[in-house]
Amino acid sequence: MISPCPVRGKSLANKEEAPGKPPRFTKSGRAGTEFGMVEFKRVSYVFGSSWALKDVSFTLEKGGFLFLTGHSGAGKTTLLRLLYAGLPLHRGRATVAGFELHKLRRRHVPELRRRVSVVFQDFKILPQRTVFENVALALEVRGVTRQHMERRVRAIVRALGLESKSYTRCAHLSGGEQQRVAIARSMVVNPKLILADEPTGNLDADLTTDLMNIFKQFHSYGATVIMATHNRTILNMVPDAHILHLEQGQVAETTLPVEQDEPHTEGLL
Amino acid sequence: MLRFLRLGWRGLREMFLHPWAQLFTISAVTMAAVLAGIFLLLLHNVNQELIRNRGAVEFQVFWREGADMEQVRREWQRLAAMDHLKEMETFTPEQALEGLSRDLSGQGALDWLEEKNPLPASAFLAFNIPPGDHSEIWAKGLLAELRVLPDVRAVHYNPVQMDLAKSWLSVSRSVIWPVMGFLALVVALVVGNTVKLSMLTRRDEIEILSLVGARPWYIRAPLLASGAFTGLASSGLALGLLRLLHLRLEHVLDFPPVFLVISFLPMEHCLLLTGVVTAVCMAGSWVGVRQ
C-alpha cells in the first residue's frame, strides 16, 4: 500500500503556506490555501487560426478523478497544458489548485507547479541521472533538507518497487520503470492535483494495470487526478471517475455536473 | 548565499553529464577566443610599433661653445625628469667629436681637432605626444622651455615631423579601438551562439526543472556557473595557446632592417579577452535559458 505522504503526512505542495485558511485570491492570480479543485468557465484556446479548445466549462471537486478522452487533436493535451500553466490562458476563466489562471503572473507559475504534479507519456525524466536523483529533484527545488529528502525519496521509491534501482541511471531502465520514476517524482511532494497526459501510452497491458493501481491509490488518499487518455479500456479501471469527452476542442459529453447556461449539456456517457 | 554556492557547484558538476557537448563548446569558444587574441596581438604590436617609430617628436638642443659642463649636466638631469620624455641622448663636446669622427672616416679621423674642439654639448630628446587636441601648443611650449635653458644656443625641431606623428597617433587611436570593439562584437556573437546552442543539450533538464516548480534563479544559477566556467576555461586555454604561438613567433621578424620583436598582450588586454569571453558565455547561458 502506498502512503500519499510516506514520511510525515505533510504536503510539500507549497511549504510556505499555512494550512487551514480559506481561499484567498489576489490580483496576480496567486493562490490562497485551499486547492485540489479545478474550475473552467468558457475557456478557449487558439493555435494560429484553429480552435484547440472552444468554450470549455467544467468543475472538478477536490478529490475527484477525471478522465479526459477524445481522439488525437481533440484538445486533451492543450487542456492539460493550460492546467499547469504550460500555455497562457487568454480566453475564459479558470481556477486551478487555488490559482486564477486568467490572472496568473509569470513569477507565480513555479508556485502553481509546486501544487500540481504532471506525469507525461514520454516520462520527462533525466536519463543521465539516477532514480534517486530524478525523484529528489522535485524536493530539491523546494529547498527540502537533505535528510528529509532522503527519507521521502527512499519511502516513495520503495513503495513503487524501485528500491533496488535507486542508484541506477534512468537510461538503463525499462519503459515501465521509467514511468514509475516519473510518477514517484510527481508523488513524492504529495500533490493535491495530479495531471497525467497519456501516462500509459507507451506501456503494455500489465504495466498499464499496475500504473493505474498506483494512481488509484494516490486518489484514494485524497489527491485529485486528471488523466488524459484515448485508451477506453482504462476508463473501467476507475469506476467512480468522471469523464470529459472532447471533440474538436469542445466538450462533447461529460459525466461532470454541468451548469444550466453552458452550451454542452447534450448527454452523459 | 550558501544555496547559490551549492547551485553553482551543482552547475559545474552537471557539466560533466554531457562531457562531449561541453568539450565541443569549450573547443569552439577557445578557437574563437584564439582568433580574437591573434587579431588583438597583431593590433597591439602594430600600435606599439607606430607609437615607437612615428608617434614621437624630437628636439636637438645645442649649448654654447665653452659652456660650463657642470651646469650643462645639471640641465640634462632636469631634462631627464620631464613629462612625456621617451628617449634622451646626451653628448659632451668630446663625445660629439668622437662620434662625428667615427661616422666620417673611422676612428681617429678628426683627432687633430681635439685641441680646438668646435662642437658644443648637445642633447637629443624624443617626447611622446600627449593625448588631446592641444599638441601644437604643447610642442611650442616645450620648444620655448628648451630655448630659455641657460647657455642654450639653438633648439632644432621639425614641425613636419610633429604633423606626421600626430597623424599616426590619430590613425592609431581612431582605428585600433573601433577595430577592437568590432572584434569583441564578433567574438560575442560567435561565443554567445555557441553557448546558446550548447543549452539545447540541457533543454530537457530546464523543462523538467520548470515543470516541478523550480524558480527561475534555481534553474539559471547552475547554468550561469557553468557558463562562467566555460568562459574562464576557454579564455585561459586561448591565452595559453596564444602564449605558445607568441613564443614560436616572437623573433620571426627580428631581422634587418625590420628588427621587430613581437611582444605579448599586456595584462589589461589579457583581462579584457578573459572578461569579454566569460561575460558573453554567461550572457549566452542566460539567453539560452530564456528561450
Side-chain angles (χ1 to χ4, degrees), chain B residues 17-289:
Chain B
L17 289 176
H18 310 281
W20 285 108
Q22 291 305 329
L23 196 66
F24 283 128
T25 306
I26 288 178
S27 306
V29 175
T30 301
M31 289 302 121
V34 165
L35 282 177
I38 288 172
F39 274 109
L40 211 56
L41 202 64
L42 187 73
L43 287 174
H44 166 68
N45 277 282
V46 168
N47 196 30
Q48 286 293 100
E49 201 54 26
L50 284 180
I51 289 171
R52 190 178 301 133
N53 291 330
R54 313 278 181 183
V57 61
E58 294 164 359
F59 294 88
Q60 278 182 296
V61 185
F62 298 95
W63 276 260
R64 291 180 210 288
E65 285 169 48
D68 177 15
M69 279 313 292
E70 285 305 310
Q71 170 77 20
V72 172
R73 284 199 173 88
R74 279 198 296 276
E75 295 302 326
W76 287 350
Q77 279 176 0
R78 205 163 72 78
L79 291 173
M82 284 182 84
D83 287 343
H84 308 296
L85 183 73
K86 185 184 135 195
E87 198 183 334
M88 178 175 169
E89 249 183 301
T90 55
F91 303 90
T92 59
E94 292 75 28
Q95 286 169 332
L97 184 66
E98 191 186 329
L100 184 65
S101 172
R102 194 171 51 241
D103 289 346
L104 282 176
S105 53
Q107 200 73 30
L110 298 174
D111 284 353
W112 57 275
L113 278 175
E114 266 181 14
E115 295 301 315
K116 283 180 69 181
N117 188 350
L119 298 177
S122 61
F124 168 81
L125 304 165
F127 289 89
N128 286 320
I129 297 174
D133 295 331
H134 305 294
S135 45
E136 295 279 5
I137 299 167
W138 166 81
K140 280 179 184 163
L142 189 59
L143 185 64
E145 197 177 337
L146 293 173
R147 276 181 177 153
V148 298
L149 287 174
D151 286 337
V152 165
R153 179 172 56 85
V155 179
H156 293 178
Y157 142 76
N158 185 353
V160 177
Q161 189 200 20
M162 177 77 189
D163 290 344
L164 195 67
K166 265 176 67 188
S167 303
W168 277 114
L169 282 178
S170 161
V171 168
S172 167
R173 285 172 191 149
S174 61
V175 172
I176 300 292
W177 285 107
V179 169
M180 278 172 70
F182 178 72
L183 204 61
L185 185 70
V186 171
V187 173
L189 288 174
V190 173
V191 171
N193 274 312
T194 307
V195 173
K196 225 169 71 179
L197 281 177
S198 81
M199 284 292 125
L200 287 178
T201 60
R202 303 180 79 168
R203 191 179 49 190
D204 290 345
E205 184 185 337
I206 294 165
E207 186 188 357
I208 290 167
L209 281 169
S210 166
L211 283 172
V212 297
R215 295 186 198 285
W217 60 262
Y218 187 94
I219 299 172
R220 283 201 172 119
L223 296 172
L224 280 178
S226 52
F229 178 80
T230 304
L232 286 172
S234 304
S235 48
L237 278 172
L239 286 172
L241 287 173
L242 276 174
R243 184 74 182 128
L244 285 177
L245 192 70
H246 171 250
L247 287 175
R248 273 197 77 80
L249 302 178
E250 190 174 7
H251 294 290
V252 81
L253 295 175
D254 190 12
F255 55 81
V258 185
F259 296 117
L260 176 63
V261 178
I262 297 171
S263 60
F264 192 62
L265 294 174
M267 184 55 86
E268 59 265 29
H269 285 190
C270 293
L271 289 175
L272 178 78
L273 190 73
T274 308
V276 166
V277 171
T278 306
V280 168
C281 282
M282 291 175 78
S285 305
W286 182 271
V287 174
V289 178

Side-chain angles (χ1 to χ4, degrees), chain A residues 4 35 42 59 68 99 118 138 155 173 226 228 236 253-254 266:
Chain A
F35 47 84
R42 303 186 73 90
T59 301
L68 295 175
F99 286 78
V118 195
L173 299 179
I226 300 181
N236 299 324
E253 294 175 294
T254 181
E266 290 88 4

